[in-house]
Amino acid sequence: PYRLRMVTLGVLSFVGAMLEAGILVLLTSTVLGLAAYRTSIGPWLGFELSIPAALNVAGAAVVIRLALAILAVRVSASLGAQVRSDQRRRVAFSYLRADWGAQQGEATGRLQEVLTTFVGRVNSAMSSLTQAITASLSLVAYLSAGLFVDPLATLAVLGGLVLLALALSPVRRLIRRQAGRVSTARED
């Protein structure tokens, strides 16, 4: 039920990150062009831009990026509200449809606790998932822009990230093991 909003959020994030990367490349090229007393920047894919045109394009891209960010926040907030509402409705209907004996067997305030705690956890999980998708797509967009600007440097950065991930792998395993111990100790 939330797939369309998740896809929309992903597309907005990716396009926004590509715009952001383009703005950074454009402004960096403009500053370097100004420092070299050039009147234009480029060529990029056969195009050359004058410095004023480059600044105008960057300004327009910033406005579009801002509009996309506002739209993404709106979609994200709407998604969170819909998840909370749907989950609360689902839990409440399940409780009310249960037989009287099952309802009486529950502790006083249990429904309220489930409606707040459980729904809060589901909403938190959905929020974490959308943030992970957004961050991943942004990383892909930045790396794509990096490959366009300087493929060798981008590959070197990717190699460094792989080495860092390998170096942190034992630390992550230790943290997971310790978290498992703490969780087991709490259950006992």
Side-chain angles (χ1 to χ4, degrees), residues 37 68 83-84 105 107 182 185-186:
Y37 299 104
L68 289 175
V83 167
R84 273 191 309 276
V182 169
R186 283 186 181 169

Side-chain angles (χ1 to χ4, degrees), residues 94-106:
S94 295
Y95 179 82
L96 294 173
R97 287 185 189 140
D99 64 12
W100 182 249
Q103 289 180 15
Q104 287 298 100
E106 291 296 324

Side-chain angles (χ1 to χ4, degrees), residues 175-188:
I175 289 170
R176 276 194 213 115
R177 200 173 321 129
Q178 190 65 22
R181 288 182 190 144
V182 169
S183 177
T184 303
R186 283 186 181 169
E187 290 174 3
D188 294 337

Side-chain angles (χ1 to χ4, degrees), residues 77-166:
S78 169
L79 179 63
Q82 187 67 46
V83 167
R84 273 191 309 276
S85 175
D86 289 350
Q87 293 305 312
R88 283 184 181 147
R89 189 175 300 113
R90 196 179 114 223
V91 169
F93 284 159
S94 295
Y95 179 82
L96 294 173
R97 287 185 189 140
D99 64 12
W100 182 249
Q103 289 180 15
Q104 287 298 100
E106 291 296 324
T108 304
R110 178 73 176 140
L111 176 61
Q112 181 180 354
E113 178 188 344
V114 170
L115 283 174
T116 56
T117 306
F118 172 75
V119 171
R121 287 182 182 163
V122 169
N123 195 46
S124 178
M126 180 64 86
S127 177
S128 295
L129 178 63
T130 58
Q131 288 173 356
I133 290 170
T134 299
S136 299
L137 290 173
S138 294
L139 179 62
V140 168
Y142 294 139
L143 289 174
S144 300
L147 285 171
F148 176 74
V149 173
D150 192 345
L152 191 58
T154 303
L155 292 175
V157 167
L158 279 174
L161 285 174
V162 167
L163 291 175
L164 184 63
L166 290 173

Side-chain angles (χ1 to χ4, degrees), residues 46-68:
F47 293 103
E48 204 165 295
L49 284 174
S50 68
I51 298 291
L55 291 173
N56 287 333
V57 168
V62 167
V63 170
I64 293 169
R65 173 65 177 118
L66 179 62
L68 289 175

